[in-house]
Every structure is written in C-alpha cells, then in structure tokens.
Amino acid sequence: MRIRRLAVALVALLAIGTAGCGSQPGPSSMVVGTRPGGELVAHLYAAALRYYGTPAHVESMPDPLAGLDSRAASVVPGFTGQLLQRFAPESVARAAAQVYRELVSALPEGLAAGDYTMSAEDKPAVAVIQATARAWGDDDVTALAHNCDKVRPGAIAGASTPSALGLCELPKPRQFRDAATLFAALRSGQVNAAWTTTAAPDTPADVMVLADRTALIRAENIVPLYRRNELTEAQVLAVNEVAGVLDTAALADMRRQVADGADPAAVADAFLAANPLRH
C-alpha cells in the first residue's frame, strides 16, 4: 500500500509539473513606439520583427524617444533630418548620407541607429504649376531660389517648411486647412509655390513637384532607433531589412490607402507580404 501511495503521489507531481510547463508564457511582445499619426511606419517595423520571429506591436506615445530612454519602447522609427535636429540642432547637413552619418555620431550613449531607407524619403518639397516651372526656367528647387523675390508660398496649416533655400530667405507661407484648398489656391494663382512632401499621399497629378538635385532641402529618410546591445542579431537584421524593400512611391501609396480608411497594420502586413524580406 505504501508503494502504491508513493506511485500515486509521483504521478500527481508529474501532472502538476507538466501543467506548469504548459502554462509558461511565451516571449513578451516588443514595443515599437511612435507619435500619433506615425503608426503606418511603426507597423512596418513591427511586421518586420514578427517576420523574423519576434512578437511585436505598435504603441502610440507623446514622445517615443523618451519611451526608448525609459524602456517603454524597444524600437522607435523616425526621420533622419528631424532626429538630427533634435540631437544636433546646430548641424547644417542636408544630403541623405551626410545627415545619417551626423545623426549616428550625435546619438546619446546607449542608442543605436539601424539602416536608413536610402530609397524612401518624406522631406519637404515644392509643387508648382507647369507654367510657373517654365517661367522660372527649371524643374528643380534651385529655380525657386533663383526667383526668390517672386515666390508666394502656401502650406497646409501646421506643416514644417524650410525658412530658406540657399541664400533665398523665403516668405512665411500662407496657411490652408488641407491639401485640397492648398492646391486649389495654387491653380488659381493665390500662391505660386505649394509646400508638400515627397511622400505626400494627396499631391495631385496636374502639378509639378520640383526636384532637389543639390540637396537644398534637408533629407528626411526613415531610420529605426533602438537601445544598443538590447536587440538580438535577428532583431537588428529585421529592422534593417525594411530599408531594402521600401521606397518613396510605396510609402506614398500606403499612406494613400490609410487616408482612404485602411487599417495601418493591415496595410503594412500586406506590403511586406508582397515585398518579402530576406530570411
């Protein structure tokens, strides 16, 4: 009887141990932090992390960089020029590679930057009608700088726009409530230069966005920041892989889908399904 009772007890202990093992929680979900309005890009990085086997989700927060510092977020994507302005406001770098290099050098101890999206940017851009481009003699923003005294700019209220292009000190842009009223004003001649961005989802096809071949306007390429030595090799690879598949046209198209009501997470997942990362 003693042997039988011992056997029953052992079976019970094994059952408890097996149940305990079965209830062990999986790895916690990694937080990709973003400001409100930046969810689409954050979802791209969260989807990339999941693609490489790391559970990840997006959380919106007032200051994602503060969240990175407090460990409330593990990855925070941002734009190179804006981040450089935060960490090194005295920098005059404008070209994409130079902005990225100076950003990496300016990061606080403990933070690291992943690969930036060389083919995807969202920096301020100037749109004009065809007649204005012909009158100014070029399809580049240098034409605007050379016709500085003729520029009558407009912008969507709250948009961040350069105050100067080269030696041209630009007038403060007239404010419009949305893109539709801004471009209507451009067509009617109320303004002759409309500030937009290179990945804006709502730039109409009948206007010309001036090129910026000499980098008069500071680069704004997407880059992920994370805490140094806290991501695994696979996790760093995951966030770096986004740079290899994303371009400006795709970013604008995804933003257009979101503006039309699509869920940012679903849009990001669909993009990576159509543009798989290397594994």
Side-chain angles (χ1 to χ4, degrees), residues 4-171:
R4 185 177 177 181
R5 286 196 297 270
L6 181 60
V8 170
L10 287 172
V11 170
L13 286 171
L14 285 171
I16 292 170
T18 302
C21 291
S23 63
Q24 287 293 322
S28 59
S29 181
M30 182 173 286
V31 175
V32 180
T34 181
R35 285 186 182 275
E39 289 84 1
L40 173 63
V41 171
H43 277 297
L44 285 173
Y45 284 93
L49 286 161
R50 292 193 298 269
Y51 187 92
Y52 274 82
T54 297
H57 68 283
V58 171
E59 288 188 14
S60 182
M61 49 192 71
D63 187 351
L65 293 175
L68 193 61
D69 186 57
S70 68
R71 292 182 168 83
S74 295
V75 176
V76 170
F79 289 89
T80 52
Q82 295 174 26
L83 291 168
L84 182 60
Q85 178 63 29
R86 173 147 176 175
F87 293 119
E90 74 286 351
S91 173
V92 296
R94 297 194 306 269
Q98 183 185 17
V99 170
Y100 177 72
R101 284 195 301 269
E102 294 202 13
L103 169 62
V104 171
S105 297
L107 288 176
E109 185 177 356
L111 291 189
D115 293 346
Y116 75 98
T117 56
M118 297 177 67
S119 299
E121 64 173 8
D122 189 33
K123 72 177 187 176
V126 179
V128 299
I129 61 172
Q130 297 282 346
T132 299
R134 287 194 297 270
W136 287 353
D138 203 348
D139 62 355
D140 192 273
V141 291
T142 52
L144 185 147
H146 294 154
N147 292 271
C148 189
D149 59 338
K150 302 175 184 176
V151 178
R152 291 178 284 108
I156 297 172
S160 177
T161 61
S163 59
L165 289 178
L167 298 177
C168 173
E169 295 290 334
L170 295 168

Side-chain angles (χ1 to χ4, degrees), residues 79 81-82 121-127 141 159-163 165 194-200 209-212 216-221:
F79 289 89
Q82 295 174 26
E121 64 173 8
D122 189 33
K123 72 177 187 176
V126 179
V141 291
S160 177
T161 61
S163 59
L165 289 178
W195 281 108
T196 180
T197 70
T198 50
V209 177
L210 299 179
D212 185 18
L216 282 179
I217 302 171
R218 174 173 279 179
E220 295 288 359
N221 300 81

